[in-house]
């Protein structure tokens, strides 16, 4: 009977025994602290919540008679989230003929302009527009 010799090209170099790392004592792992800052859940909740309205935006909604009901707010929120997904920082989100200038980074509506006030209106310092 012949013995089979292993092919040296298929054997990994180095020692053939397993090297075990020393276990970490329980006293070191129990004192470990979580990293500072908000948790992932907190960041996710902030990004998926309805945008905040600046004082200026609230004044414009009242002055211009813009009614912001729940379905409209939902579409605005969706538009802001889509802009955030594309990396936008400042955007104009159009919902039913009303333009909302939004700081996507801060999740804040800066101002709102209905279609009847958009005559000769110029939106500056924005990097995207969303139709929601």
């Amino acid at each position: 009977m012949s013995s089979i010799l292993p092919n040296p090209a298929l054997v990994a170099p180095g020692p053939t025994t397993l090297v075990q790392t020393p276990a970490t004592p329980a006293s070191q792992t129990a004192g470990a602290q979580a990293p500072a800052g908000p948790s992932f859940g907190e960041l996710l909740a902030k990004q998926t919540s309805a945008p905040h309205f600046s004082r200026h935006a609230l004044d414009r909604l009242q002055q211009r008679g813009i009614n912001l009901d729940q379905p409209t707010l939902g579409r605005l929120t969706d538009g802001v989230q889509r802009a955030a997904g594309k990396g936008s920082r400042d955007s104009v989100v159009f919902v039913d003929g009303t333009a909302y200038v939004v700081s996507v980074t801060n999740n804040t509506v800066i101002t709102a302009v209905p279609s009847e006030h958009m005559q000769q209106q110029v939106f500056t310092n924005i990097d995207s527009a969303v139709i929601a």
Side-chain angles (χ1 to χ4, degrees), residues 54-124:
S54 69
R55 183 73 191 152
H56 177 78
L58 292 173
D59 290 344
R60 293 298 174 259
L61 289 172
Q62 184 179 12
Q63 288 174 352
R64 295 173 175 163
I66 300 170
N67 184 18
L68 191 64
D69 56 3
Q70 197 61 34
T72 304
L73 183 60
R75 290 174 54 204
L76 176 62
T77 301
D78 178 61
V80 173
Q81 289 174 356
R82 286 192 289 150
K86 295 290 185 178
S88 297
R89 291 182 305 271
D90 296 295
S91 183
V92 174
V93 180
F94 293 97
V95 180
D96 295 333
T98 302
Y100 299 90
V101 178
V102 180
S103 169
V104 178
T105 308
N106 298 326
N107 197 27
T108 303
V109 176
I110 309 272
T111 193
V113 182
S115 59
E116 56 269 9
H117 288 97
M118 277 195 233
Q119 189 98 6
Q120 298 188 4
Q121 186 79 334
V122 176
F123 297 104
T124 59

Side-chain angles (χ1 to χ4, degrees), residues 28-40:
Q28 288 180 353
T29 57
Q33 295 181 354
S39 69
F40 175 75

Side-chain angles (χ1 to χ4, degrees), residues 9-30:
L10 299 176
V11 176
T16 56
T17 60
L18 295 175
V19 178
Q20 295 184 1
T21 58
T24 305
S27 62
Q28 288 180 353
T29 57

